[in-house]
Amino acid sequence: MSAYNMVIGLEIHAEMLTNSKVFCTCNAEFGGDENTRVCPRCSGLPGTLPVFNQGAARLAVKAGFALDCEINNYSAFDRKNYFYPDLPKAYQITQFSYPICTNGFVDIGNKKIRINRIHIEEDAGKLVHDDYEGVSNADYNRCGVPLIEIVTEPDIRSAEEARALVEQIAIRLKYAGVCDSRMEQGSLRCDVNISVMRPEDTEFGTRTEIKNLNSLKSIVRAIEYEYERQTGLLDRGGKVVQQTLHFNENHGTTKPLRSKEEAHDYRYFPEPDIPPVFLTDEVIADIKSEMPEMPNDRKTRYVEQYGLSEVDAALLVSDKDLSDFYDESVKVYPAYKQISNMIIVELLRRLNDSSTPIKDLKFSPESLAQLVKLSDEKTVSKNAAKDILFIMFEQGGNPVEIAKENGFIMTTDSSAVESAADEILVANQKAVDEYKQGSAKVFGFLMGQMCKKLGKSANPQIIREVLTDKLNKL
């Protein structure tokens, strides 16, 4: 069997976070009952005229900045003509000849993937298949929702590189406020163009296009299957046919949707009803000034200024809401590592176990900072801090009040500790004898007995000092 190299390019469709659709005033929010967020304009009824949503242009420019693109002062719309049941006008308004952004790149860690272009277009509707009745119904709520399409160069050479690129683009668009990047809802979807070639070949092989992949796992599985299918076909003396494919999630296989021999026969022509988009240098500079700190820049700040590890910093910036929560916490109490540890070790575990998004927490970043400060100042023990966090997670509340109500405030009264130590040592004579014979490990057992007796209001440092002193005097 001959060795082949993968050659992959991606087309990523991201729905932009405008309140209304791109060419009408219908609600662009996800969901709603079928065909309740549709009007004569977005359903393409005769006599209607589109009106361009200027907010979509600003978000597209932000996407360009997030992906290190050049922003074009002039861009224009075209009609892409094709018939499909979920496209009521029988054409899609898009930017073909003059896209709004070009020539960008995304660094995925070990290489840079070039971005050919970003252009604005309208989304199509959605077909709802009823297998029981054997029919497909069209839901046009999604028609006219503003999209950007991000087209890469064929620089990707593995399924993992493709996954890493989509992951990077998704998080950057979310940071920039362009797209919520919720692949499970279809707000970020990916088409994969894939071909194979032998190492000695000078031209790419015949490519196929896998449409509408909406999870990172599906992207990897679809690429790996299609690579095996194409290489197996070539090794048997066959030829790869240029076509559009659908990936079957259940079987992990691809199957043809339509031939791509007429791939460029969409009869594009300039959109006559929408004027070109002119962006002055001043407008572009104004949009750039609104750009937030990108995840890579945040990670650098966390590592170089806050002293966090590369692993912890990467985990914090992997979710914008999580990173924002951390940033707000350290503004209140700049204990960078301690707050990072509390979030990563304790809070994330509770969030993951309960499938709770961080934006739905019942307490604020300020409260978390206050809790970490209580622990650092030894007002409460580390174990008590975990219990307080659990109560805050379940019920909300102020950490100081929770500590007082539950007896978690550590006492500095050594008399109670001394009394408890006398009782513990008498009750555990065997452990005392072992300690006197040089067995240091029993000290931990005695500490545990002391903590159990005194409760979480006891100060571990005072317990250790009193216990050590009494043992040494025996």
Side-chain angles (χ1 to χ4, degrees):
M1 182 177 289
S2 302
Y4 295 88
N5 294 331
M6 287 187 193
V7 179
I8 300 169
L10 300 182
E11 298 169 12
I12 298 169
H13 298 82
E15 291 184 353
M16 291 187 281
L17 292 171
T18 55
N19 292 324
S20 57
K21 293 184 180 181
V22 66
F23 300 122
C24 69
T25 57
C26 287
N27 188 346
E29 188 179 356
F30 174 80
D33 293 335
E34 290 84 352
N35 296 308
T36 57
R37 295 175 178 174
V38 65
C39 72
R41 282 179 182 165
C42 55
S43 59
L45 294 185
T48 59
L49 290 173
V51 177
F52 180 51
N53 184 340
Q54 298 293 323
R58 295 185 72 89
L59 290 179
V61 171
K62 287 185 176 182
F65 282 126
L67 305 184
D68 287 292
C69 289
E70 298 172 7
I71 312 302
N72 297 320
N73 297 97
Y74 175 91
S75 61
F77 289 97
D78 303 275
R79 288 187 181 182
K80 177 182 179 181
N81 292 272
Y82 65 96
F83 174 76
Y84 202 67
D86 63 0
L87 193 69
K89 295 194 295 285
Y91 65 84
Q92 180 188 35
I93 300 176
T94 184
Q95 292 182 324
F96 179 63
S97 300
Y98 301 98
I100 194 165
C101 307
T102 48
N103 300 325
F105 69 89
V106 174
D107 191 335
I108 59 171
N110 58 343
K111 69 186 291 187
K112 291 181 179 179
I113 307 297
R114 292 174 296 159
I115 304 297
N116 176 282
R117 59 190 279 147
I118 299 175
H119 60 261
I120 303 171
E121 62 186 23
E122 60 179 338
D123 208 347
K126 180 175 67 174
L127 292 181
V128 182
H129 304 291
D130 187 333
D131 294 331
Y132 183 77
E133 296 290 342
V135 298
S136 294
N137 299 311
D139 177 10
Y140 294 131
N141 279 354
R142 204 169 65 186
C143 274
V145 169
L147 289 177
I148 49 171
E149 181 172 344
I150 302 162
V151 182
T152 79
E153 298 288 359
D155 293 344
I156 303 163
R157 295 293 178 266
S158 71
E160 279 305 309
E161 284 186 4
R163 180 201 60 76
L165 177 64
V166 174
E167 201 168 42
Q168 267 293 311
I169 289 176
I171 192 171
R172 291 188 188 197
L173 294 182
K174 188 171 183 181
Y175 267 75
V178 174
C179 176
D180 62 16
S181 298
R182 301 185 68 172
M183 297 187 78
E184 74 281 1
Q185 291 185 357
S187 62
L188 190 77
R189 311 187 294 276
C190 183
D191 299 342
V192 173
N193 293 285
I194 177 172
S195 65
V196 299
M197 61 188 295
R198 292 184 176 89
E200 65 271 17
D201 290 344
T202 57
E203 294 183 0
F204 294 156
T206 302
R207 67 182 174 86
T208 58
E209 182 181 24
I210 312 169
K211 297 289 286 186
N212 289 329
L213 299 168
N214 63 357
S215 74
L216 297 174
K217 183 178 179 181
S218 293
I219 291 168
V220 172
R221 291 176 66 210
I223 289 172
E224 291 177 344
Y225 175 83
E226 186 60 13
Y227 173 79
E228 294 297 332
R229 187 189 73 82
Q230 290 189 21
T231 55
L233 190 62
L234 294 173
D235 283 335
R236 293 190 298 272
K239 291 185 177 181
V240 176
V241 177
Q242 185 173 350
Q243 57 190 343
T244 301
L245 303 171
H246 167 73
F247 180 66
N248 187 307
E249 296 277 358
N250 295 325
H251 299 113
T253 59
T254 58
K255 67 176 182 179
L257 281 175
R258 58 183 179 268
S259 168
K260 291 290 282 186
E261 292 175 0
E262 305 293 326
H264 297 293
D265 190 23
Y266 285 118
R267 295 186 296 115
Y268 285 99
F269 62 84
E271 167 57 59
D273 295 327
I274 305 174
V277 178
F278 292 96
L279 297 172
T280 65
D281 291 341
E282 290 75 19
V283 168
I284 293 172
D286 179 59
I287 297 172
K288 187 174 185 179
S289 71
E290 297 175 355
M291 288 293 292
E293 186 181 35
M294 287 287 100
N296 286 349
D297 296 328
R298 283 201 189 190
K299 181 182 174 185
T300 299
R301 170 162 60 89
Y302 290 171
V303 173
E304 295 183 358
Q305 296 181 30
Y306 294 177
L308 302 188
S309 69
E310 289 274 350
V311 173
D312 287 353
L315 183 57
L316 287 173
V317 302
S318 66
D319 183 296
K320 183 176 185 297
D321 292 334
L322 182 68
S323 181
D324 288 345
F325 190 92
Y326 173 75
D327 277 349
E328 291 301 314
S329 296
V330 297
K331 283 180 185 176
V332 176
Y333 178 54
Y336 305 117
K337 290 185 179 180
Q338 296 94 314
I339 288 179
S340 171
N341 289 339
M342 181 67 81
I343 289 175
I344 291 172
V345 177
E346 298 299 330
L347 181 57
L348 274 184
R349 176 168 58 85
R350 301 196 185 282
L351 290 170
N352 293 335
D353 289 347
S354 62
S355 299
T356 302
I358 195 164
K359 64 182 180 180
D360 291 342
L361 278 178
K362 296 176 181 177
F363 60 91
S364 66
E366 292 80 7
S367 293
L368 184 81
Q370 194 174 18
L371 174 60
V372 173
K373 188 176 183 181
L374 288 176
S375 177
D376 285 352
E377 293 177 347
K378 295 184 170 49
T379 303
V380 301
S381 68
K382 293 188 182 300
N383 285 335
K386 295 176 185 178
D387 291 338
I388 294 169
L389 180 67
F390 175 75
I391 295 171
M392 289 165 59
F393 187 85
E394 294 292 324
Q395 305 170 14
N398 180 284
V400 175
E401 295 303 318
I402 293 171
K404 290 178 179 177
E405 291 170 4
N406 291 272
F408 291 148
I409 302 293
M410 288 199 295
T411 179
T412 56
D413 180 13
S414 61
S415 60
V417 177
E418 290 183 2
S419 176
D422 290 336
E423 293 180 24
I424 293 296
L425 294 177
V426 170
N428 295 275
Q429 188 60 49
K430 182 180 178 182
V432 171
D433 293 340
E434 289 179 8
Y435 178 82
K436 290 170 67 176
Q437 292 168 9
S439 178
K441 66 180 182 180
V442 298
F443 186 83
F445 166 76
L446 294 170
M447 276 285 295
Q449 295 298 307
M450 289 282 290
C451 291
K452 186 184 297 184
K453 183 173 182 64
L454 291 166
K456 291 181 179 177
S457 64
N459 189 316
Q461 184 175 347
I462 294 177
I463 293 176
R464 180 179 295 276
E465 290 173 356
V466 169
L467 191 59
T468 301
D469 182 63
K470 286 188 175 290
L471 283 168
N472 290 338
K473 288 179 179 178
L474 289 176

